[in-house]
Amino acid sequence: MPLAENAASRPLPPDLIFHGGIVHCLDPKLTSASALAVRDGLIMALGEDREILSLAGPLTRRIDLSGQCVLPGINDSHLHGVWLGARWPDLMLESPESNWHGRLLDGPEDMRRAILACFRLLASLGITSYTEPGIGPGEDEGETGCFGSDVLAAYAALAGTPAQTARVTLLSLHGLLDGASTLSVFEAGLSLPKPTADPRWLSIPGVKIFADGIPPLRTAWVEEPYPDGSVGTLFTGEGDLSERAATYERMIRLGHAAGEQVAVHATGDRTVETLLSTVEALGGAGRLRHYAIHGDLVTPEQLSRMARAGVGLTVQPVIAAMTGAWMAGALRPEQIARAFPIDRIFGTTGLRATLSSDAPVATPDWRRIVATAAGQLEGRGLPVGRAELSALLRMMTAIPAEQDGAEDWKGTLEVGKVADLCVLSQDPLKAGWQRLPEIAVERTMVDGRFVYDRTAATGEAP
Ligand SMILES: [Zn+2]
């Protein structure tokens, strides 16, 4: 029967086709297309309009992009989702005068509401994945209620349900956020059971170590002393700095041995150095893909070694821009000049570097993050054209997916990967980085499902 033969050999038609636009896949080759087909939540085909439209069946939905642009869904590699959902539209660096202490959430219903508020906000921004950096029992009595074990339970309860509109990667926290931890609690925490959830919706690959503070407060642990002669501190363990450093190193080794991705809040160069030299001694990060968060005072020499050892770096350009003056009051001029070396971070071959918000400390708006990073690169003499802007966009899509160990199935628009994407009113590569913050997010799709449509939205967009 030729008909049956035909039906068997032809692929089923797509559920949906976008056509008539510009699709930037942000794969390593920086492929572009004008049309994209989606079936069963996955990208089925990419190409030119005629070729992709020829796949359509009678039930295929066609969306004419009329020149709009499709990018992979944005992945914010460091965003405190529950805290953001509870605080929005308050952002710490924009309204430091508002009260940043005190209880925000009480009980599972509050937590669920905060998570859903976060999901809605992120959908309106085109963000389809994020890393929730630090949730665990150490914060069960925490003052805001945004980081304790109940939050993990609330995420687990939502995982994979239709209410979840962004994929979550979560780091466990066995100590305080922005504070102290002990070796015994950390070690015990590594064997706590994790909730079972579909890892494509809720994945808990690793553990956060809160190692040092921040440079403006002179609590970042530094090689070259601050103007007052101090060298900062570590929050790991107790005793003098050498005891704390030994505890910190032990935590890295324990996390590594337990098969956990180790993500360290490390702003000072010595804090980065301990992470790096420990991982080097372990033979590299390998598939665990450990990384430093912030890295304000990381050195160019460390960046090259990080690339070789497979240690990544997650940075926040907007925080760097907004706290520069504050930092200037606390550090030596030579330290300031070396701080936040975005040009070296950008230029280190093989370094797994991602851009992120740290919202609600700073804005979750990735358009501002990318534009701020571009401005910082130009400020250091590196013109940002099409290739550089594409690379910056990859630092909020493809590279965070690598940090998540998920590059096989998300982070770029390629056949067989999940249909997580955002539609923008204009092509940022054509418009240029200066205009990126004004480009509108028209639609957001996660797993082949629309989770945001600007024309249908009711004032949710920031
Ligand atoms: Zn943070």
Side-chain angles (χ1 to χ4, degrees), residues 263-287:
V264 182
H265 171 111
T267 64
D269 51 353
R270 287 192 80 174
T271 318
V272 172
E273 183 59 35
T274 300
L275 170 64
L276 179 54
S277 56
T278 305
V279 175
E280 283 171 338
L282 288 164
R287 61 171 188 86

Side-chain angles (χ1 to χ4, degrees), residues 27 75 119 139-140 142 180 234 254 265 353 358 366 392 411 418 443:
D27 56 326
N75 185 342
F119 287 164
E139 281 284 339
D140 284 355
L234 288 173
L254 284 169
H265 171 111
D358 207 359
W366 62 275
L392 289 171
V418 289
R443 298 169 184 266

Side-chain angles (χ1 to χ4, degrees), residues 78-80 83 133 177-178 208 210 265 293-294 316 358-359 361:
H78 190 96
L79 174 145
H80 301 275
W83 192 24
L177 197 76
D178 282 304
K208 166 101 169 252
F210 215 95
H265 171 111
I293 301 161
H294 309 307
Q316 297 80 31
D358 207 359
V361 176

Side-chain angles (χ1 to χ4, degrees), residues 169-462:
T169 301
L170 187 144
L171 297 170
S172 306
L173 179 71
H174 305 298
L176 293 174
L177 197 76
D178 282 304
S181 54
T182 66
L183 188 61
S184 58
V185 169
F186 183 86
E187 187 165 15
L190 289 175
S191 48
L192 285 177
K194 295 176 182 180
T196 46
D198 179 344
R200 290 194 175 203
W201 290 102
L202 176 62
S203 147
I204 311 177
V207 60
K208 166 101 169 252
I209 297 175
F210 215 95
D212 66 355
I214 56 171
L217 295 178
R218 296 180 186 159
T219 46
W221 186 29
V222 292
E223 187 70 45
E224 187 190 346
Y226 294 106
D228 64 2
S230 64
V231 294
T233 193
L234 288 173
F235 298 127
T236 46
E238 285 159 347
D240 62 20
L241 252 171
S242 68
E243 290 172 78
R244 288 164 184 253
T247 302
Y248 168 33
E249 183 183 331
R250 186 88 191 112
M251 286 175 171
I252 298 165
R253 286 177 176 275
L254 284 169
H256 183 87
E260 296 280 304
Q261 180 179 42
V262 177
V264 182
H265 171 111
T267 64
D269 51 353
R270 287 192 80 174
T271 318
V272 172
E273 183 59 35
T274 300
L275 170 64
L276 179 54
S277 56
T278 305
V279 175
E280 283 171 338
L282 288 164
R287 61 171 188 86
L288 295 178
R289 304 180 186 187
H290 308 312
Y291 62 101
I293 301 161
H294 309 307
D296 306 46
L297 301 174
V298 67
T299 69
E301 184 261 344
Q302 287 172 334
L303 290 168
S304 309
R305 285 166 53 211
M306 288 167 84
R308 282 196 296 275
V311 174
L313 179 61
T314 289
V315 298
Q316 297 80 31
V318 174
I319 296 186
M322 293 183 81
T323 58
W326 188 25
M327 179 121 66
L331 276 69
R332 294 175 197 273
E334 319 85 78
Q335 289 174 315
I336 305 280
R338 288 195 299 265
F340 195 61
I342 181 79
D343 50 337
R344 308 301 291 262
I345 293 166
F346 187 79
T348 301
T349 308
L351 176 68
R352 203 176 53 251
T354 68
L355 305 178
S356 62
S357 66
D358 207 359
V361 176
T363 178
D365 188 340
W366 62 275
R367 295 164 295 188
R368 278 184 54 199
I369 296 169
V370 170
T372 300
Q376 287 162 336
L377 287 176
E378 293 213 338
R380 293 190 178 226
L382 187 79
V384 176
R386 201 181 160 92
E388 293 77 18
L389 187 52
S390 300
L392 289 171
L393 291 169
R394 276 175 54 82
M395 291 167 84
M396 293 208 79
T397 51
I399 314 298
E402 287 177 22
Q403 179 173 290
D404 291 343
E407 71 276 18
D408 290 346
W409 59 272
K410 71 173 186 179
T412 61
L413 300 177
E414 292 178 83
V415 172
K417 288 195 178 182
V418 289
D420 291 4
L421 54 85
C422 57
V423 180
L424 306 179
S425 59
Q426 285 181 67
D427 176 2
L429 298 187
K430 216 162 148 190
W433 66 266
Q434 293 91 339
R435 285 173 58 201
L436 176 57
E438 279 79 56
I439 294 178
V441 176
E442 299 289 347
R443 298 169 184 266
T444 305
M445 172 177 272
V446 178
D447 214 46
R449 181 167 66 97
F450 283 113
V451 297
Y452 174 73
D453 182 342
R454 189 165 75 104
T455 53
T458 52
E460 194 59 50

